[in-house]
Amino acid sequence: MPNSPILVIYTGGTLGMVPSDTGLVPGHDFEARLRAALTTLSSTGQVSLPEFEVLEYPDPIDSSAATPADWQRLARDIAERYEDAHKRYAGFVVLHGTDTLAWTASSLAFQLQGLDRAVIVTGSQLPLEGDGSDALTNVESALRFAALPGLQEVAVCFAGKLMRGVCTRKWNTQAFDGFTSPNYPLLGEMVNGAPVLYAAQGLNDRRDLSQFELPDYSALDGSAVVRVTLWPGISARLLAAWLLDDSVNGALLEVWGSGNIPEDPKILDVLAQATSEGKLLAAISQCPHGPVSIGTYAAGRGLIDAGVLSGDAMTPEAAMTKLVHLIAQPLSDSERRQRFVTALAGER
Ligand code: ASP
């Protein structure tokens, strides 16, 4: 659909921030500011941009304040417009703070399974009007990628790299090349000012169109799942305080290497008790690269016996948001466990 515009959703983040007495704060009037900034692009850059409309949140935030309710609001805003019979958007660009961008991108991937268009999430390390800012380049690249019909998933575009949203992590607090996809190849790149897709990496043929699951979700509850990173000397007592709390329904354990935990029977008892109470427990590695392969070492065998699921090579952001989403759905314990170990959005 050559005439369908892209919808740009501005949620806040450094990209739209302005200085204040207390430091940078989310700015308003974003559409006017963005359109003014785009006039500074070269004439070739300007004519290559797709048409776009802007949905500007009236309450833009620093993404460090984002909660699962914000992920859900964003997915609903996209889904409503995605399904609008009178107006078709060719794709979506979400402008977001970088701090929790990877979390939102991961959550969107689970909420919007079965997308037949692109949802590109981007932000920047410097504000749009800042000297030498990366903001305009990131928005320009995101718009160009969002217009490509061959891209049918949630992706993060940053510093010219296009990454699967649910495989992405913020990796640098300051460098423009601030995001990485530790365990999955790039989906594309800007090459000589043009967006290039690496089609073989895309989800297109592997996505399940029947899996558009958004309507099934009750309110996402971020406090129902805890994230516990092991440290040498961790005690069963502290682990129990987190995992056996009545309000906790799931936990992500960040374990050693390829899937190992301390040899402490009391720790295994806590894990087994939590799973026997129907809590969804999963393990990923503290190493940023590579999967867990639980059971390779005797020191990891207990995780299997305690019913802890393998998170494979998922990022913490993907594994946590997947747990949060599965717990919010009307599923039996066994369906939840089955879905956790199944790739739903290219996350594993
Ligand atoms: N604190 C900002 C945010 O996440 C950082 C950024 O956007 O780069 O909203």
Side-chain angles (χ1 to χ4, degrees):
M1 289 232 182
N3 296 322
S4 301
I6 306 295
L7 183 67
V8 175
I9 305 179
Y10 168 65
T11 69
T14 296
L15 194 142
M17 286 196 185
V18 291
S20 80
D21 293 346
T22 52
L24 290 172
V25 289
H28 295 268
D29 282 330
F30 184 75
E31 177 167 6
R33 291 165 54 206
L34 176 61
R35 292 200 186 274
L38 287 169
T39 62
T40 65
L41 290 178
S42 67
S43 50
T44 328
Q46 291 188 43
V47 292
S48 308
L49 279 182
E51 294 294 314
F52 67 90
E53 295 174 8
V54 178
L55 170 64
E56 189 169 337
Y57 281 177
D59 49 356
I61 58 169
D62 186 306
S63 80
S64 52
T67 68
D70 294 294
W71 309 338
Q72 203 159 20
R73 168 190 183 184
L74 196 47
R76 287 219 172 95
D77 281 336
I78 293 170
E80 266 171 36
R81 287 151 184 92
Y82 182 93
E83 283 158 356
D84 186 338
H86 305 291
K87 167 133 213 170
R88 190 183 194 282
Y89 289 104
F92 299 84
V93 169
V94 175
L95 303 180
H96 196 284
T98 60
D99 285 345
T100 63
L101 188 152
W103 294 79
T104 299
S106 298
S107 171
L108 289 178
F110 293 121
Q111 293 187 79
L112 301 172
Q113 290 169 54
L115 278 174
D116 65 1
R117 278 161 259 172
V119 173
I120 312 285
V121 190
T122 193
S124 64
Q125 299 280 35
L126 295 177
L128 186 62
E129 288 91 357
D131 279 347
S133 172
D134 54 335
L136 197 57
T137 315
N138 285 350
V139 176
E140 183 189 6
S141 306
L143 281 166
R144 301 279 304 275
F145 274 117
L148 300 182
L151 184 62
Q152 302 181 339
E153 59 185 286
V154 178
V156 168
C157 182
F158 217 89
K161 296 191 299 192
L162 188 74
M163 294 157 276
R164 172 158 299 154
V166 75
C167 295
T168 305
R169 307 201 69 194
K170 181 170 177 178
W171 210 242
N172 197 304
T173 56
Q174 291 178 331
F176 285 174
D177 188 7
F179 281 79
T180 186
S181 172
N183 292 315
Y184 195 76
L186 296 183
L187 299 180
E189 273 174 288
M190 292 298 284
V191 179
N192 297 330
V196 174
L197 276 187
Y198 303 139
Q201 314 303 350
L203 208 51
N204 307 23
D205 298 335
R206 280 166 275 163
R207 76 197 198 287
D208 180 351
L209 284 171
S210 66
Q211 291 277 311
F212 204 87
E213 287 184 334
L214 185 70
D216 294 342
Y217 290 117
S218 55
L220 294 179
D221 180 3
S223 62
V225 180
V226 294
R227 174 179 177 185
V228 183
T229 305
L230 296 189
W231 66 93
I234 184 172
S235 74
R237 185 179 58 82
L238 288 177
L239 196 62
W242 284 99
L243 268 53
L244 303 181
D245 186 283
D246 286 345
S247 67
V248 168
N249 296 322
L252 178 66
L253 307 170
E254 291 177 38
V255 301
W256 309 125
S258 56
N260 304 314
I261 55 166
E263 265 180 72
D264 177 347
K266 288 196 193 127
I267 287 184
L268 290 174
D269 284 350
V270 172
L271 298 178
Q273 187 181 337
T275 48
S276 73
E277 290 173 5
K279 300 183 184 199
L280 194 56
L281 264 48
I284 59 168
S285 180
Q286 291 184 20
C287 299
H289 293 271
V292 285
S293 135
I294 299 172
T296 304
Y297 293 91
R301 179 77 222 170
L303 286 169
I304 301 178
D305 298 336
V308 177
L309 300 171
S310 164
D312 196 14
M314 275 192 274
T315 61
E317 294 84 346
M320 279 292 287
T321 54
K322 189 170 187 179
L323 291 171
V324 169
H325 287 258
L326 291 176
I327 283 167
Q329 283 186 281
L331 298 170
S332 68
D333 286 353
S334 65
E335 283 169 326
R336 264 191 202 113
R337 293 176 65 81
Q338 181 55 41
R339 286 207 195 181
F340 187 83
V341 295
T342 306
L344 303 177
E347 75 281 10
R348 60 182 295 154

